[in-house]
Amino acid sequence: MRRHRFIVPLALLGLLGFPAHAEGRDLGRDTLPAGDGWASHGTGTTGGAAADDAQVFTVTDRAGLVRALDGGSDTPKIIKIAGTIDANTDDDGEHLDCADYATDGYDLKRYLAAYDPRTWGSAKPSGPQEQARQASAARQAERVELAVGSHTTIVGLGEKAVLKGASLQIKDATNVIVRNLELRDAYDCFPVWQPNSGGLGDWKAAYDNLWLRGATHVWVDHVTFTDKGRPDSAEPTHFGRTYLRHDGLLDITGGSDLVTVSWSRFAGHDKAMLIGNGDTATGDRGKLRVTLHHNAFESVVQRAPRVRFGQVHVYNNRYVVEDGHRYAIGVGTESALYVQNNAFTTPGHVEVADLVKSWNGSALHDEGTLFNGFPVDLRTTYNAYNSGSERDLTADVGWTPALHTKIDSAAAADRAVARGAGAGRIP
C-alpha cells in the first residue's frame, strides 16, 4: 500500500504530540553563543537562523527530509525532525533491509569463501563477489547518505526525535547547526574485507552517523550518537575479526575547521570520533580546530577523540569506561590537544595510563583530570608507564584556548553532563 509522505505545517505540531519548547522558544532560530568554542571564531555559526519562513520545514519521513535538504543546497534552511525517521526506506516509505539492497549475485557466504585469507592471501579483494558487494553498497548509499548544505540548521522536535540508519554528511559546506537529535545506527549492510589492515586484516564499514569533510563553522549540540539495538559486539566473527557494521559516530576530516561539539552523548560504540584521517594529510595543518565540551562518552572503546594536526580543546567532558576499553584520548601526528577538567569513571582493571594513546604524537596539555574521583596527571602517568617503549609527551602544545564557556571543576562538570548531555535535554 502506498504511503502518503508530507511535510507537516507548524500549526499542526501540537495536535501530533510534539509540544513547542518551553516559553515558545524556536530552537531552529538559535545561534551559537559568542565565545562558545572554535565554531564561534570570526563570523560565528548561525546555521539557518536567517532562513525565510518558506524554507522552514518539519519532516516526518525520509522523503520529506530529502526534499528539505534540497540536495545539499546552500539556501538558508531550518529542518525540524519530528518523531523517528528511518533512512532505510524506499520512496513509498517502506522499510528496506540488507536483502533489498543486495544485487548482482552478492552473497555473504560466497564472499567469505572467495576471500578467505587461507586461500585468497593478502591481496585486495577483486572479482565478481567484490564487484557485487560494491554494487550492493552503492544501492544502500543512495538511500542513507544525506548531504547537508551551507547555512542549514537541523533540529529535533521534542525529546524523542531520531534519525535512524542515516549518514549525515556535511561536505565542503559552512555554517551548519545540528541539535537535539538522536543519530542512531548508521548500519553498513556490506562491509569490505581489508586483508592488510592492522597487520591481521579487518572489516571496514562505510558510514559515520555524522561526517564532516571540508566543513567549517559547524555546531553540534545536544546530539545523541548511538548504535542502539545493534552493537558491533553482537556481530559474528569472520576471518578472526569482528564483522564490523559501523564506522565512526562523528568524524571530522578533510580539512574541516572551526567546530564546536557540546552537550552531546556518545554511547555504546567502538570508534567514537576521529579528527584528521591521515598522517600524511599535511593540508590539514592550521585546520581541524575543534572544541569538545560537556559531552558524555559512555561505553566507548576508543577515539574520544583521536586527533591528527588539529588544535583541539577538550574540557568538562564525562567519560564512563567499561570492559573492552582501549583508550580515550588519542594523540596523533602533529596534534595539539589541550585537555582540561575532565572526569573518568572506570572499572578496577583500567589504569590511568590506559586513558591516553600516542599515535606518533609528541605533546599533550592536561590539567584538572579526575580518575574515579581522584586528581591525576594524564601526561605524567602516561610517560611513566610507557618510558622506553614510546617517546615521552611534552606539556607544550603551542597554544592556549581563548574561546570557551565557563570551565567548571571536573566533579561539577561530571554531574552536570550526567544530567544534561544528549538529545531532549536542552534547557
Side-chain angles (χ1 to χ4, degrees), residues 44-87:
T45 301
T46 60
D52 295 337
D53 288 345
Q55 297 299 319
V56 179
F57 310 97
T58 299
V59 298
T60 61
D61 59 12
R62 178 191 176 278
L65 176 58
V66 168
R67 288 199 303 275
L69 287 168
D70 191 26
S73 77
D74 292 343
T75 303
K77 62 184 75 66
I78 298 171
I79 302 172
K80 302 180 180 184
I81 292 180
T84 297
I85 293 178
D86 185 356

Side-chain angles (χ1 to χ4, degrees), residues 173-408:
T174 189
N175 194 29
V176 176
I177 295 173
V178 182
R179 301 184 76 201
N180 198 45
L181 180 65
E182 180 180 343
L183 296 178
R184 178 193 301 173
D185 190 24
Y187 186 86
D188 187 353
C189 288
F190 309 100
V192 60
W193 174 244
Q194 297 181 323
N196 296 310
S197 178
L200 298 175
D202 210 351
W203 294 97
K204 170 65 176 174
Y207 308 119
D208 303 316
N209 292 34
L210 179 60
W211 187 10
L212 279 56
R213 291 181 289 170
T216 59
H217 285 286
V218 178
W219 181 28
V220 179
D221 178 68
H222 282 90
V223 174
T224 295
F225 297 85
T226 177
D227 301 334
K228 186 176 181 179
R230 290 207 286 194
D232 280 336
S233 60
E235 294 293 335
T237 297
H238 297 307
F239 305 154
R241 308 293 286 174
T242 300
Y243 189 54
L244 296 175
R245 299 300 194 122
H246 303 93
D247 195 11
L249 292 176
L250 167 58
D251 280 7
I252 302 170
T253 65
S256 293
D257 197 19
L258 304 177
V259 178
T260 296
V261 182
S262 57
W263 294 98
S264 292
R265 180 171 177 260
F266 301 81
H269 190 84
D270 183 0
K271 302 169 183 175
M273 185 186 304
L274 181 66
I275 301 175
N277 62 327
D279 289 354
T280 61
T282 55
D284 286 343
R285 287 174 178 151
K287 300 177 182 178
L288 298 175
R289 291 174 289 179
V290 179
T291 300
L292 308 177
H293 75 84
H294 294 92
N295 302 293
F297 295 92
E298 302 170 350
S299 302
V300 167
V301 175
Q302 58 184 314
R303 299 186 181 179
R306 177 178 174 177
V307 181
R308 298 176 174 96
F309 295 104
Q311 292 183 346
V312 179
H313 191 193
V314 182
Y315 75 91
N316 279 174
N317 298 287
R318 166 184 165 89
Y319 293 81
V320 180
V321 174
E322 295 189 3
D323 291 341
H325 169 82
R326 292 184 59 189
Y327 69 91
I329 308 296
V331 185
T333 299
E334 297 186 34
S335 61
L337 278 142
Y338 204 100
V339 178
Q340 286 184 286
N341 295 24
N342 301 286
F344 293 84
T345 301
T346 78
H349 64 276
V350 175
E351 303 288 348
V352 175
D354 298 325
L355 303 178
V356 175
K357 172 68 176 175
S358 176
W359 299 94
N360 198 35
S362 62
L364 173 67
H365 177 99
D366 164 59
E367 62 183 67
T369 300
L370 281 185
F371 177 79
N372 291 330
F374 294 91
V376 296
D377 186 318
L378 289 179
R379 184 187 59 83
T380 299
T381 305
Y382 171 85
N383 288 342
Y385 272 70
N386 294 279
S387 179
S389 61
E390 298 183 18
R391 66 178 172 179
D392 284 354
L393 298 173
T394 66
D396 184 6
V397 296
W399 72 294
T400 301
L403 296 170
H404 54 77
T405 59
K406 179 179 180 292
I407 299 178
D408 295 316

